[in-house]
Amino acid sequence: MMRDVVRIDADRCTGCGACAEACSEGAIKMVDGKAFLVSEEHCDGLGACLPSCPADAISIEKRDVRPFRNPGKANDMRIDIVQPSCSSAVPRPISREDGPDPTAAAPSRLAQWPVQIRLSPVKAAFFDGCDLLIAADCSAFAYGAFHEDFIKGRRVLIGCPKLDPSECWSKLDEIVASNDIRSITAVRMEVPCCSPIMKRAEEAVRRSGKDIPVRIAVLGFDGALR
């Protein structure tokens, strides 16, 4: 099947090993001092390894390869229901010394529906002249003032670069190209598997040929703005 997978330029690779450490699926290994994609079927094509490469030796390309298979699961034919592994799924406690006021009201600032990228129309009047928020779907749960600080005054699209299919992110390219969008704010969690949101937002602007400013915000597990 045609899908996104990692390509490593061996001539540019410095052998630092950062990409192999960033690949939670173990698709990249160090061989004789160089990084290699040793298993195409274990590469999810989301590019969590890209930001870690200091030599710009890694890119994403679409090739005819086997479907993605989570290396932590048995290889069966039900590929579509296999849940990809993710470092963000490691259980961890979050300490809250002072809880929020249970009587405080927080009004919704959402100004359109739907918000899932895969459900959103490509062309819509509410996108024209808007400031667009592209957010990881976990981010609103981590950041208490998400509506006030990020949603207010913006149109919203949410998605997960780890779990959503590549067609979903191709749709984002169409949305940016087809509407008069003034600015884009991309919000992601601090985990590596969430980093492709930044790349997808910037690529959508580049492919559209438009001059749209892109702002990136990174949230911690504890809700802190990094």
Side-chain angles (χ1 to χ4, degrees):
M1 64 179 293
M2 296 297 296
R3 66 178 185 88
D4 291 341
V5 289
V6 161
R7 179 182 179 276
I8 302 175
D9 187 333
D11 293 333
R12 288 190 174 188
C13 177
T14 61
C16 69
C19 59
E21 293 181 8
C23 180
S24 59
E25 286 76 23
I28 300 176
K29 301 291 186 184
M30 301 304 297
V31 180
D32 295 331
K34 293 281 188 177
F36 284 91
L37 181 64
V38 296
S39 176
E40 290 180 335
E41 66 178 339
H42 291 166
C43 175
D44 59 18
L46 296 175
C49 53
L50 266 69
S52 66
C53 180
D56 195 26
I58 303 176
S59 58
I60 302 294
E61 64 180 14
K62 194 174 291 292
R63 296 203 302 270
D64 187 9
V65 296
R66 297 180 64 182
F68 171 72
R69 181 174 68 87
N70 180 3
K73 301 287 185 179
N75 186 16
D76 59 31
M77 297 304 294
R78 295 172 295 172
I79 300 297
D80 58 324
I81 65 171
V82 172
Q83 296 297 315
S85 60
C86 179
S87 59
S88 63
V90 177
R92 70 195 69 197
I94 298 175
S95 176
R96 306 288 187 190
E97 294 183 2
D98 298 314
D101 181 359
T103 65
S108 173
R109 298 298 186 178
L110 189 64
Q112 109 278 348
W113 191 265
V115 294
Q116 284 280 354
I117 296 174
R118 64 170 71 188
L119 299 178
S120 177
V122 169
K123 179 71 175 175
F126 54 71
F127 284 137
D128 285 331
C130 81
D131 296 303
L132 181 64
L133 173 67
I134 304 170
D137 50 14
C138 297
S139 56
F141 294 92
Y143 191 77
F146 197 84
H147 275 252
E148 202 65 28
D149 292 356
F150 290 109
I151 294 180
K152 184 179 179 180
R154 298 184 176 97
R155 298 299 184 258
V156 182
L157 292 174
I158 67 171
C160 177
K162 188 73 176 179
L163 301 179
D164 287 346
S166 59
E167 292 80 5
C168 171
W169 298 98
S170 297
K171 188 176 187 179
L172 177 63
D173 295 344
E174 296 181 63
I175 291 173
V176 173
S178 302
N179 299 278
D180 180 21
I181 294 172
R182 294 188 305 182
S183 69
I184 294 177
T185 299
V187 182
R188 49 158 291 205
M189 298 300 295
E190 63 182 336
V191 293
C193 61
C194 205
S195 63
I197 280 190
M198 173 181 66
K199 173 176 173 287
R200 298 291 188 178
E202 292 173 340
E203 281 190 354
V205 171
R206 178 180 58 81
R207 290 170 179 168
S208 74
K210 300 177 182 180
D211 184 16
I212 303 174
V214 179
R215 172 200 171 200
I216 309 296
V218 181
L219 302 178
F221 292 110
D222 57 357
L225 188 61
R226 297 294 189 236

